[in-house]
Amino acid sequence: ELKMKELMNNPYAWLFLSLITIFSFAFAIYTWIAGKKAKELSNDYLSNDIIKQGKQPISKLKIEFDGKIINDLTATTFYIWNSGNEIINKADIVGNSLKLVSDSGAILDARIIKQTDESNEFRLITVSSSNIEFDFDYIDGGEGVRIQVLHTGSGNKISFVGKIKGGNAIRNCKDQNNGKGIHGFIKAFIDELVPMLIFIFCWFGTMFIAHFLGLDSNSGIIVALAGALSVIVVLIYVKIKRKIRHALHRDIPINLKRLE
């Protein structure tokens, strides 16, 4: 009884229990998000300026399209994939097709350069100066397509348009990568604050256990042990960070990014 009363009056104990509560709550949220059934499409893109404001990469090189000299030419690779955990069928898409729409500039050419599984059967239906329409048979979780688009203007002027019946809104990962919106805040929280909380948790946890066992929490051995434990747990966190990131912030699937 005396030991329990001493424990209840110990500030290290209350701090340790508070940190356990915080981490348990965070883990419960992560588990709920990761296990939640969802139909969701995500998209991201990478752009490379080939010609910008008439400046050719090679002085004697001239690029024409349909008999006209191109003064602005950009190659943009779009990644579109199923970032949920349920199969998306063609019939699940409103209008049975998806689009890439140019807000300004003209689309010159488009082609599918990779799909994670040939059975997905991604197909370009129409390619015009203002939009690209394409469809598919089905997309399982983590599967998708990589489409290369040659166009005038910048990559951020082309947007991915589509709607899933009864599913989540289209997720724009480029905005999230740029730290915009709530997802950008969550990313910053995970990247910067969580390692510090882990370090504090391990440090005070070690001190609390040492005090509870009657050891001198100020001794060099205990301090070294607390530091070593903190480093080990932070390294473990770095290892599982990809899984946390996948639940809260969708990444382009590795097999879709990989070059053939």
Side-chain angles (χ1 to χ4, degrees), residues 100 107-112 124 126-127 132 147-150:
L100 290 168
I107 295 171
L108 306 180
D109 186 53
R111 63 187 61 191
I112 293 173
L124 296 181
T126 59
V127 178
I132 301 160
I147 302 176
Q148 180 177 278
V149 182
L150 292 177

Side-chain angles (χ1 to χ4, degrees), residues 11-27 193-210 225-234 236-237:
Y12 285 115
W14 284 108
L15 180 58
F16 183 65
L17 292 173
S18 298
L19 289 173
I20 287 178
T21 302
I22 293 171
F23 277 102
S24 298
F25 181 69
F27 182 75
L193 187 58
V194 170
M196 290 189 290
L197 290 175
I198 290 174
F199 188 87
I200 293 170
F201 174 79
C202 293
W203 183 273
F204 282 101
T206 305
M207 295 300 173
F208 161 68
I209 293 171
L225 182 62
L229 180 62
S230 301
V231 171
I232 291 171
V233 176
V234 169
I236 293 173
Y237 159 75

Side-chain angles (χ1 to χ4, degrees), residues 39-209:
K39 286 186 177 181
E40 179 184 74
L41 283 172
S42 290
N43 76 103
D44 205 338
Y45 67 87
L46 296 172
S47 288
N48 291 305
D49 294 326
I50 300 172
I51 304 172
K52 194 170 182 66
Q53 297 179 345
K55 295 180 180 179
Q56 304 278 359
I58 302 173
S59 59
K60 295 183 180 181
L61 176 68
K62 289 186 178 180
I63 298 179
E64 295 184 358
F65 180 79
D66 201 18
K68 297 179 181 178
I69 299 231
I70 300 296
N71 291 318
D72 287 280
L73 181 62
T74 302
T76 300
T77 301
F78 287 91
Y79 300 88
I80 298 159
W81 70 98
N82 180 351
S83 53
N85 50 18
E86 290 195 333
I87 294 175
I88 298 175
N89 295 299
K90 178 180 177 179
D92 293 325
I93 305 297
V94 174
N96 293 335
S97 66
L98 301 167
K99 288 184 179 181
L100 290 168
V101 178
S102 175
D103 298 328
S104 64
I107 295 171
L108 306 180
D109 186 53
R111 63 187 61 191
I112 293 173
I113 56 177
K114 185 174 184 180
Q115 50 187 322
T116 49
D117 194 317
E118 292 298 326
S119 65
N120 295 148
E121 294 189 9
F122 282 94
R123 299 169 293 266
L124 296 181
I125 301 172
T126 59
V127 178
S128 68
S129 61
S130 60
N131 69 76
I132 301 160
E133 186 177 5
F134 61 99
D135 69 359
F136 57 90
D137 185 17
Y138 78 97
I139 320 174
D140 211 340
E143 295 179 346
V145 66
R146 193 164 81 201
I147 302 176
Q148 180 177 278
V149 182
L150 292 177
H151 58 98
T152 61
S154 59
N156 61 4
K157 297 301 181 181
I158 297 181
S159 53
F160 177 43
V161 178
K163 186 176 180 181
I164 303 172
K165 299 173 184 176
N168 293 338
I170 300 297
R171 183 189 288 258
N172 186 337
C173 292
K174 180 60 70 174
D175 286 347
Q176 295 171 26
N177 281 328
N178 292 335
K180 296 180 180 179
I182 185 64
H183 294 289
F185 172 79
I186 293 174
K187 180 178 181 295
F189 174 82
I190 292 174
D191 289 345
E192 298 175 21
L193 187 58
V194 170
M196 290 189 290
L197 290 175
I198 290 174
F199 188 87
I200 293 170
F201 174 79
C202 293
W203 183 273
F204 282 101
T206 305
M207 295 300 173
F208 161 68
I209 293 171

